[in-house]
Amino acid sequence: MTTAALPLESETINVLRNRRSIRKYALTPLSDAHVDAILSAALRAPTSSNLHAYSVIVIRDAETKSKLAVPCGNQKHIVDCPVFIAFCADLTRIESALERNGHNIGNNNLELGLVASIDASLVGMAAYVAAESLGIQGVMIGAMRNKPEDIANIIGLPERVYAVFGLCLGYPAETPKQKPRMPVTGIVHHERYDADAALAAIDPYDAELKSHYDSVGKESHPNSWTHEVDAKFSPRPRDGLRAALKARGFNFA
Ligand SMILES: Cc1cc2nc3c(=O)[nH]c(=O)nc-3n(C[C@H](O)[C@H](O)[C@H](O)COP(=O)(O)O)c2cc1C
């Protein structure tokens, strides 16, 4: 059978190809029915061992969004978006399942913490794509991990739940130019990892990102990507995260 005639395009592929982070929102409200449609689809995401190790908090209240923005570095889009969703890793139901069977989760390890974090991320990305397919756009907020305890207090997360990231959603009031991606030759490998190709992608991307920033009037550096990565990650970001998550009941040990 020849596959030449089978489709290479789909609505989903087009949605993904056109995606970019949106940080400015129209005043158009986002209905509960739309949020329900997005989340009911997203909850069909795969979940490791059928654990459902996540919970999703939908936040509309202006005061709550303002409070959440503070530990997130006062990111204005958190306040401005009509709906903000926290995607949380959640071990509470697993804890209950273990207790019902005479065990406890107190010594949970790195694998369980990762499983819950991956599960939450998959649901979050599925929600993002579902939203985009309806013309609802936004941006993920990893800054929710800046101060996990503050976030937990604001939205009432119990022990064994932490917010992996947030998602601002709304109808877009901007169409920023798409940010270029690292060359595919450095990212996608066939049959075996090609270490030379992986690293060869850096120089062209440094230059492409610089010209992207120049084209949108953003301050740039000759080696834009490596410079940004170094500025952000050489000071060991969120160095207190392991201790903060441990205090929330995730040992990551
Ligand atoms: C897990 C995750 C966390 C992110 N956190 C933030 C954030 O806190 N604030 C923000 O403005 N953008 C955040 N972003 C958006 C990225 O900066 C953005 O995806 C990246 O620069 C690429 O741009 P693009 O999405 O427009 O293609 C996050 C993205 C991801 C995947």
Side-chain angles (χ1 to χ4, degrees), residues 28-101:
T28 322
L30 190 43
S31 76
D32 286 338
H34 284 86
V35 174
D36 289 349
I38 290 165
L39 291 180
S40 63
L43 294 179
R44 293 304 313 169
T47 159
S48 187
S49 302
N50 203 25
L51 280 175
H52 302 73
Y54 47 72
S55 285
V56 174
I57 325 290
V58 179
I59 299 139
R60 288 180 173 279
D61 180 64
E63 197 183 328
T64 308
K65 284 188 289 157
S66 296
K67 283 185 188 162
L68 285 172
V70 176
C72 292
N74 292 308
Q75 297 192 56
K76 192 171 175 300
H77 29 280
I78 298 174
V79 181
D80 294 344
C81 66
V83 171
F84 184 74
I85 306 179
F87 291 93
C88 303
D90 184 343
L91 299 180
T92 58
R93 286 177 294 267
I94 295 155
E95 177 170 38
S96 179
L98 296 190
E99 285 172 354
R100 289 170 198 213
N101 288 280

Side-chain angles (χ1 to χ4, degrees), residues 19-21 23 75 77 128 139-143 145 165 179 181 238:
R19 198 209 60 79
R20 79 239 23 222
S21 293
R23 298 177 177 85
Q75 297 192 56
H77 29 280
Y128 195 12
V139 62
M140 289 182 175
I141 302 295
R145 298 188 307 279
F165 60 91
K179 206 185 256 190
R181 286 297 188 257
R238 298 184 188 126

Side-chain angles (χ1 to χ4, degrees), residues 155-168:
I155 52 176
L157 304 180
E159 196 188 357
R160 308 221 191 279
V161 183
Y162 87 92
V164 182
F165 60 91
L167 178 62
C168 301

